[in-house]
């Protein structure tokens, strides 16, 4: 039997506003507990929420970025449940009339394999506070700084068929929200959180199987593991004659397993109703057009431009446009040195290699785009050869100098292109290795190509790597006859 | 549609309301009559009428995205029955 997974995702994106969605309290990360929870966030009597215009704008930007219908009239509702980190007893959210309607996003889980994932809708809502279960004399601690933080919940259709596709989708959403600047996308700080609805069915089957919802998965790595684990659990269960029950399961990263959350006895009886404190939000065409005009170039468009205008391959263009910091870095290097292909090679080669090795992100690269651009210029104008350039890059990375020129000077890496100077070194090498010269001259023509490598190596060594390799080759061939 | 006693008990639990055993029959009657009113409204032809989310013919005003609130933790926590290290303390929540 061949099984197929059906996956739908709900992604909560924390919007990069200054203040909360319904109050003027700050949403800065890392503040002392409850110092950023004002009367509105605490749900004190007599409070009145007022909607943050930036949150609306950011939601509309997202909608335009995924070619969605924008909800010209959207309504906030109350989702009622009791939990100590939700002081009002309800979450203000959108239900029937969300601000972003159906949209679509293109993902590429494998090179050359394009998938369209439909977005069901996206809505604005407030975040809850945080419960701290460490022992406070048998009590639970509540920090309400996060209460009221603006979230955009993006709900996909069940269009994904593997954990890999789910990851590609999340990465695409991450890329769009960071390009748009509507979220910092920082998963470690909870700026993007993901719930996955997972079911399995036999391949070819039309009907969906019963789904389980996995909550609490907060990194790309865990999402893939959690989904794969859940798929296996369900297949095993069904093959052993059991049945999947609709339930919420919690992912435990330490044990790599999901387990049932039994506590939700009243699951899904949230008794939604329109929030009497908030009036319907109405947008007009002029507002939408104004935002449309301010939209930055998105990853998909950027990739296409890299291919069409810069002549990069589809793969290179994809890698270099995947995240906003990567694209910005690459474009700066390209501007500085003036050669897109060399810039692409260096960013994807030496730079990415060092980043992986040291485990740093491009934002933390010790080599700035300007420094790398200047280094490439020195290769282009033949000041240094490729080998020396790698040395200069390594020196820049470890902070041995402020610029490529400074390092080239300090290390004496300037390429020697003076024929006389190189010829002198070549003569010296040949004089010191009479035996090899004899062997070379006795060898048949087709073996000589390989043997010349020995002499090139010796010359480069004697010149401390600064001789122009093409000229060395040429001179050697002339002198060896 | 008549409500059952168990419906009233469930609604009371969801709203975290403690109700007296003796009062349940009356709540059941009253809530049933509200549902009858709703049924009456269901019969009205609303073809071509937009759903109404709010009785006022007005739209939401928006505020600028500015931090206008300062830390008043001490003030707000004066009412808290239990607190420690800046946190509100509540009876243990078991997941």
């Amino acid at each position: 039997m061949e099984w197929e997974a059906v996956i739908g995702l709900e992604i909560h994106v924390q919007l990069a506003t200054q203040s909360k969605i319904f109050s003027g309290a700050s949403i800065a990360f890392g503040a002392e507990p409850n110092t950023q929870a004002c009367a509105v966030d605490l749900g004190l009597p007599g409070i009145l929420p007022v909607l943050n215009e930036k949150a609306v704008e950011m939601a509309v930007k997202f909608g335009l970025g995924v070619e969605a219908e924008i909800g010209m009239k959207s309504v906030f509702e109350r989702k009622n449940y009791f939990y100590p980190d939700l002081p009002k007893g309800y979450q203000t959210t959108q239900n029937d009339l969300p601000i972003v309607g159906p949209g679509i996003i293109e993902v590429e889980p494998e090179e050359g394999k394009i998938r369209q994932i439909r977005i069901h809708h996206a809505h604005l809502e407030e975040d809850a506070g945080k419960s701290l279960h460490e022992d406070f004399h048998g009590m639970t601690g509540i920090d309400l700084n996060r209460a009221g933080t603006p979230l955009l919940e993006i709900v996909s259709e069940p269009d994904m068929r593997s954990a890999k596709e789910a990851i590609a989708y999340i990465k695409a959403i991450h890329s769009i929200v960071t390009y748009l600047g509507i979220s910092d996308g920082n998963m470690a700080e909870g700026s993007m959180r993901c719930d996955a609805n997972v079911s399995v069915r036999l391949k070819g089957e039309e009907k969906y199987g019963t789904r389980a919802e996995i909550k609490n998965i907060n990194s790309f790595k865990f999402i893939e593991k959690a989904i794969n684990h859940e798929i296996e659990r369900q297949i095993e269960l069904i093959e052993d004659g059991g049945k999947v029950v609709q339930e919420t399961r919690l992912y435990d990263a330490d044990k790599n397993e999901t387990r049932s959350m039994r506590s939700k006895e009243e699951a899904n009886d949230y008794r939604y109703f329109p929030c009497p404190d908030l009036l319907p939000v109405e947008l007009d065409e002029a507002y939408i057009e104004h935002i449309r005009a301010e939209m930055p170039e998105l990853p998909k468009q950027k990739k296409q431009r890299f291919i069409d205008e810069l002549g990069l391959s589809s793969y290179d263009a994809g890698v270099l446009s995947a995240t906003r910091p990567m694209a910005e870095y690459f474009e700066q290097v390209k501007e500085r040195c003036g050669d897109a292909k060399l810039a692409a090679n260096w960013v994807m080669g030496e730079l990415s290699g060092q980043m992986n090795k040291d485990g740093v992100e491009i934002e933390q690269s010790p080599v700035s785009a300007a420094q790398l651009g200047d280094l490439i210029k020195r290769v282009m104008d033949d000041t240094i050869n490729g080998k020396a350039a790698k040395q200069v890059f390594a020196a820049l990375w470890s902070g041995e100098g402020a610029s490529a020129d400074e390092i080239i000077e300090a290390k004496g890496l300037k390429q020697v292109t003076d024929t006389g100077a190189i010829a002198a070194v070549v003569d010296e090498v040949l004089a010191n290795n009479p035996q090899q010269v004899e062997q070379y001259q006795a060898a048949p023509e087709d073996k000589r190509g390989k043997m010349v490598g020995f002499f090139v190596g010796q010359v480069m060594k004697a010149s401390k790597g600064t001789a122009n390799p093409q000229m060395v080759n040429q001179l050697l061939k002339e002198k060896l006859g | 549609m008549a409500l059952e006693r168990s419906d009233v008990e469930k609604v009371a639990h969801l709203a975290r309301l403690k109700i007296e055993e003796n009062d349940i029959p009356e709540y059941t009657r009253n809530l049933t009559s509200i549902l009858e009113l709703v049924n009456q409204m269901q019969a009205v032809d609303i073809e071509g009428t937009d759903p109404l989310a709010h009785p006022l013919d007005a739209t939401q005003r928006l505020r600028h995205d500015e931090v206008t609130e300062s830390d008043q933790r001490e003030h707000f926590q004066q009412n808290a029955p239990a607190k420690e290290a800046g946190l509100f303390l509540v009876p243990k929540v078991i997941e």
Side-chain angles (χ1 to χ4, degrees), chain A residues 89-106:
Chain A
Y90 58 83
Q91 179 193 29
T92 307
T93 178
Q94 297 187 308
N95 186 35
D96 272 344
L97 293 169
I99 190 157
V100 176
I104 200 151
I105 189 168
E106 211 173 81

Side-chain angles (χ1 to χ4, degrees), chain A residues 98-150:
Chain A
I99 190 157
V100 176
I104 200 151
I105 189 168
E106 211 173 81
V107 304
E108 199 172 349
E110 288 164 50
E111 208 187 329
K113 187 187 161 201
I114 305 272
R115 294 266 289 126
Q116 310 268 352
I117 309 292
R118 290 168 302 153
I119 287 166
H120 180 272
H121 79 273
H123 65 259
L124 282 168
E125 65 182 25
E126 60 180 344
D127 206 347
K130 247 185 210 160
S131 303
L132 294 114
H133 299 289
E134 295 103 74
D135 199 18
F136 295 100
H137 332 289
M139 299 183 89
T140 294
I142 305 291
D143 175 7
L144 295 169
N145 279 350
R146 206 178 62 185
T149 297

Side-chain angles (χ1 to χ4, degrees), chain B residues 71-91:
Chain B
D71 172 22
Q72 296 190 69
R73 182 172 75 183
E74 237 161 83
H75 178 56
F76 289 138
Q77 290 196 335
Q78 278 174 8
N79 288 330
K83 60 202 166 193
E84 188 177 313
L87 300 163
F88 293 96
L89 296 189
V90 299

Side-chain angles (χ1 to χ4, degrees), chain A residues 18-20 23-24 33-34 50-53 82-83 133 137-140 142 263 266 269 276 279-280, chain B residues 10 13-14 16 54 59-60 62-69 71 73 84 86-90 92-93 95:
Chain A
Q18 299 296 314
S19 63
K20 294 193 175 169
S23 84
N34 293 308
V50 188
L51 183 58
N52 185 334
E53 64 179 7
F82 283 100
Y83 205 77
H133 299 289
H137 332 289
M139 299 183 89
T140 294
I142 305 291
S263 63
E266 262 82 56
D269 199 347
L279 291 158
Chain B
K10 187 183 172 207
H13 175 68
L14 284 173
R16 298 298 189 272
H54 203 284
T59 56
Q60 179 65 32
L62 306 178
R63 42 169 269 274
H64 291 302
D65 180 26
E66 282 165 6
V67 176
T68 53
E69 298 294 324
D71 172 22
R73 182 172 75 183
E84 188 177 313
L87 300 163
F88 293 96
L89 296 189
V90 299
K92 187 143 191 95
V93 182
E95 194 47 80

